[in-house]
């Protein structure tokens, strides 16, 4: 019994994505050929053109898949933190540190910008900025950070973290660069924290307990 067409389409797309991701993550975009993708997936060039248009479109799809996985991992990191503020910091730092991972380093922060252009102009960036803005709004409501323009601050944090990741990915000493970037980034974020944040938190806890 043959599979339903939607299932076959999804399987074909998944095979091409997996083959391309393996190639991009190991030999890189420039050294990968469409014949490699199709042969690895047991498919034809026609299937690749139909689903992704061309090699560049395939790279975009691989980056979208990687980005979704990174986002899920970052949410998991923040959810394990004892406070919203610590979760926010941990999530930002984890994003920077992901630039040390070979696959992410090559695809997201080296070949991606080289082929698709400035990372700040990628479609996913607006979603990241919006998420950062929401987090900052929640932190303000908690009394954890000073009064700041949420969108402006979100854009600056996004730009700083992206630039740090690019710096690490293109560094001759990525481990050392990552350590320096994370230390400096923590200092920057710490300036957002209210000096009396712990006192405000304690008062809120007492108020909640007593009500």
């Amino acid at each position: 019994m043959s599979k339903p067409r939607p299932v076959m389409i999804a399987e074909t797309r998944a095979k091409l994505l997996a083959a391309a991701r393996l190639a991009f993550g190991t030999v890189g975009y420039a050294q990968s050929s469409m014949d490699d993708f199709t042969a690895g997936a047991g498919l034809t060039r026609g299937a690749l053109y139909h689903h992704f248009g061309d090699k560049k479109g395939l790279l975009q799809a691989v980056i979208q898949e990687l980005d979704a996985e990174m986002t899920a991992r970052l949410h998991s990191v923040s959810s394990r933190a004892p406070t919203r503020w610590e979760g926010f910091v941990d999530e930002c730092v984890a994003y920077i540190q992901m630039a040390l991972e070979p696959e992410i380093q090559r695809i997201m922060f080296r070949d991606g910008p080289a082929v698709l252009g400035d990372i700040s102009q990628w479609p996913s960036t607006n979603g990241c900025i919006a998420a950062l803005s929401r987090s900052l709004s929640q932190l303000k409501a908690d009394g954890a950070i000073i009064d700041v323009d949420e969108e402006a601050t979100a854009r600056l944090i996004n730009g700083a973290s992206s630039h740090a990741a690019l710096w690490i990915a293109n560094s001759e000493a990525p481990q050392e660069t990552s350590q320096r970037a994370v230390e400096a980034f923590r200092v920057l974020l710490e300036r957002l924290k209210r000096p009396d944040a712990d006192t405000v938190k304690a008062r809120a806890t007492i108020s909640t307990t007593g009500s």
Side-chain angles (χ1 to χ4, degrees):
M1 182 178 178
S2 61
K3 298 179 181 178
R5 180 171 172 75
V7 173
M8 294 176 65
I9 291 174
E11 288 181 350
T12 297
R13 191 176 190 280
K15 286 180 182 178
L16 286 168
L17 267 178
R21 182 167 170 173
L22 177 62
F24 292 154
T26 52
V27 300
Y29 180 86
Q31 300 303 316
S32 302
S33 73
M34 292 192 289
D35 288 335
D36 292 334
F37 308 145
T38 53
L43 299 166
T44 65
R45 274 201 179 203
L48 188 153
Y49 292 135
H50 174 74
H51 287 279
F52 303 103
D54 55 17
K55 184 179 175 183
K56 184 176 178 180
L58 189 52
L59 176 63
Q60 289 175 313
V62 168
I63 285 177
Q64 287 174 357
E65 183 176 75
L66 259 178
D67 186 63
E69 292 174 8
M70 289 168 67
T71 298
R73 288 173 57 189
L74 292 172
H75 286 168
S76 178
V77 167
S78 62
S79 68
R80 292 195 297 269
T83 67
R84 200 192 307 275
W85 166 251
E86 290 172 274
F88 180 76
V89 174
D90 290 350
E91 184 173 335
C92 290
V93 167
Y95 172 82
I96 294 173
Q97 292 175 326
M98 283 180 180
L100 288 172
E101 298 178 26
E103 182 185 50
I104 291 175
Q105 182 182 112
R106 182 186 286 273
I107 298 175
M108 292 291 293
F109 299 120
R110 289 171 60 187
D111 287 348
V115 177
L116 304 177
D118 185 355
I119 196 170
S120 69
Q121 302 302 309
W122 290 4
S124 60
T125 298
N126 286 334
C128 293
I129 291 171
L132 283 168
S133 295
R134 288 192 296 271
S135 293
L136 290 168
S137 178
Q138 292 170 334
L139 288 167
K140 281 174 64 175
D142 290 346
I145 62 172
I146 58 177
D147 187 16
V148 293
D149 181 315
E150 294 151 24
E151 182 186 353
T153 305
R155 288 184 179 278
L156 291 171
I157 292 173
N158 178 262
S161 58
S162 295
H163 188 79
L166 292 169
W167 181 30
I168 294 164
N170 292 281
S171 171
E172 293 183 1
Q175 288 285 353
E176 178 187 345
T177 300
S178 176
Q179 183 177 348
R180 291 172 61 195
V182 167
E183 288 177 358
F185 194 77
R186 285 185 180 278
V187 172
L188 289 176
L189 289 185
E190 194 64 25
R191 301 299 295 175
L192 287 173
K193 192 175 180 182
R194 278 181 56 167
D196 61 343
D198 293 335
T199 302
V200 171
K201 179 183 175 183
R203 286 174 179 168
T205 302
I206 292 170
S207 175
T208 302
T209 305
S211 61

